[in-house]
Amino acid sequence: MKITSSEQKQVIINRYLSGESVNSISTETGIPRSTLYYWIDKHKKASTRNPNITLREFSANKRKIQHLSDIIEILQSSPCSAMAPLQERLTVIEEFSAKYHVHTLCEALKVSKGTYYNHILRNKRKNSMFNQKCAELKPIIQDIYDKNSQIFGPTKITPILRELGYSVSEKSVTRIMREMGLYSIRGAAKTMYKHYQKQQRTNILNQNFTADAPNLIWVSDVTQFNLNQKRFYICVIIDIFSRKVVSYHIAKKNSTQLVKTTFKKAYILRKPSDGLLFHTDNGSNYISNTFMNYLNDLGVVQSFSRVHIPYDNSVCESFFSTMKREELYRYKYSSVAEFMKSVEKYINFFNSERPHSTLKYKTPDKYEADFWLKQGFLTEE
């Protein structure tokens, strides 16, 4: 059977669409199955490209699908359901109106459009009245705030305004003060003080590990050592001039008391003049108000390493590393007393017997003694 027209091809395709198999059609008509499959596939593609629907209908369906998608999205993202109290639904519609059409929002949350627009109109009136009230109260609030040294917040300013004859709630005063940027200095005082203290923690030493005489610059740090599953903390103070350990203390807690005790020992022994520079890291014990006030009363100037920069306090870091490698890691201590005796022995050795390359291979004690000899405070034996 020879097929010559598109009408004849369509008749064959319709037979297939009516339920006949490709094999039976091919047997009866003599048309190869591959040809039949080609026609059927071509017909399906043409049907997909050219559906039997007008452009207007297609656009309407597209809008309807988008509308329903928006309703589903609104209901999924809304903090309240369509059964929530009216005021909650009105608030949600107002918040979502920048993203969705108001009519869609009203339909999703079952609110009449008239009710919503009345809600908006009432809010505009209220906002206008509130703005007028704000304009009237702002200079009065500013005056009360300034006259009371910026100490009063809304809780105290509200009753003062009521005494002056203004009917106003604390919530409204809070909102007005927030708009004006007015806050009680009491609430911010501690934060400002801490910020100021932090600003004062500058690195004065700046890795300049030299001094012209003893007791001009001291550096300090704390290290941890584990003994029989217990932690011990060793604090040292080193004089930059001679690299001498002028004081040390051991405790079970890395506290302000540890560093304060260590400093007291050095201060009583060395009696430095006012203006001593004391450099440390930013450990909580060194920056505590108790310790900082203590040093300030003694006329001591504090310098601090930058955060996460161990090189800013490398003199102490180097000493601890040397002490651990040359002493603490070499022995297994059977008691706390033995450990403490070992620390004492090493520090005496470090000061009196161990030559230091920075000191032209003199010991710290010898380097200091030579200085005082030149100054005429010591005589050669």
Side-chain angles (χ1 to χ4, degrees), residues 175-370:
R175 180 175 169 183
I176 295 170
M177 290 184 69
R178 190 175 294 138
E179 287 181 6
M180 297 173 69
L182 304 182
Y183 299 91
S184 170
I185 199 68
R186 284 169 53 87
K190 188 173 182 179
T191 302
M192 292 173 63
Y193 174 75
K194 286 183 176 179
H195 176 73
Y196 175 75
Q197 292 289 78
K198 187 175 182 179
Q199 293 296 101
Q200 301 307 303
R201 298 204 294 270
T202 55
N203 187 358
I204 300 172
L205 187 60
N206 198 26
Q207 296 189 19
N208 181 21
F209 302 118
T210 59
D212 297 328
N215 302 324
L216 295 180
I217 303 172
W218 291 353
V219 294
S220 179
D221 200 0
V222 177
T223 193
Q224 176 185 313
F225 185 76
N226 295 332
L227 176 62
N228 299 329
Q229 298 182 339
K230 293 181 181 179
R231 294 178 183 176
F232 289 88
Y233 297 91
I234 308 169
C235 177
V236 299
I237 295 177
I238 298 174
D239 192 311
I240 283 294
F241 173 76
S242 62
R243 300 301 199 269
K244 180 173 182 175
V245 180
V246 296
S247 178
Y248 79 95
H249 192 70
I250 303 173
K252 293 181 179 179
K253 291 183 179 179
N254 185 14
S255 61
T256 299
Q257 188 61 39
L258 170 63
V259 298
K260 189 174 180 181
T261 299
T262 311
F263 190 89
K264 275 185 176 181
K265 288 181 180 179
Y267 192 82
I268 293 170
L269 179 66
R270 307 278 285 191
K271 298 180 175 61
S273 304
D274 286 355
L276 167 69
L277 184 66
F278 187 64
H279 181 83
T280 67
D281 61 20
N282 284 271
S284 58
N285 39 16
Y286 290 114
I287 66 174
S288 69
N289 291 336
T290 300
F291 187 67
M292 293 180 76
N293 291 336
Y294 168 70
L295 294 188
N296 186 58
D297 291 342
L298 294 176
V300 176
V301 179
Q302 282 188 270
S303 171
F304 296 92
S305 300
R306 291 165 294 175
V307 178
H308 305 308
I309 309 292
Y311 303 108
D312 284 351
N313 201 11
S314 59
V315 172
C316 282
E317 297 280 352
S318 175
F319 169 77
F320 282 136
S321 176
T322 301
M323 180 174 69
K324 288 177 178 179
R325 284 186 285 109
E326 295 184 356
E327 183 73 15
L328 302 184
Y329 290 156
R330 295 179 58 202
Y331 302 103
K332 186 175 181 179
Y333 302 106
S334 58
S335 66
V336 175
E338 187 179 355
F339 158 66
M340 290 189 171
K341 189 68 177 177
S342 180
V343 174
E344 179 184 13
K345 182 188 74 171
Y346 183 79
I347 289 176
N348 288 336
F349 163 77
F350 183 87
N351 287 339
S352 304
E353 300 179 42
R354 189 182 188 281
H356 202 295
S357 59
T358 305
L359 309 177
K360 299 178 181 178
Y361 291 97
K362 294 181 180 180
T363 66
D365 281 346
K366 175 62 176 171
Y367 196 76
E368 279 199 1
D370 287 350

Side-chain angles (χ1 to χ4, degrees), residues 69-123:
S69 296
D70 286 346
I71 289 178
I72 293 170
E73 195 173 297
I74 290 166
L75 292 173
Q76 287 177 337
S77 58
S78 171
C80 70
S81 69
M83 303 302 292
L86 177 61
Q87 191 58 46
E88 288 185 26
R89 287 179 282 156
L90 290 170
T91 302
V92 170
I93 293 172
E94 192 172 353
E95 289 176 357
F96 283 23
S97 60
K99 184 177 180 181
Y100 302 100
H101 196 282
V102 169
H103 293 186
T104 305
L105 287 163
C106 287
E107 182 180 343
L109 295 174
K110 299 188 183 304
V111 175
S112 71
K113 294 187 285 292
T115 300
Y116 173 71
Y117 287 121
N118 284 336
H119 162 75
I120 293 296
L121 185 61
R122 284 196 303 272
N123 280 352

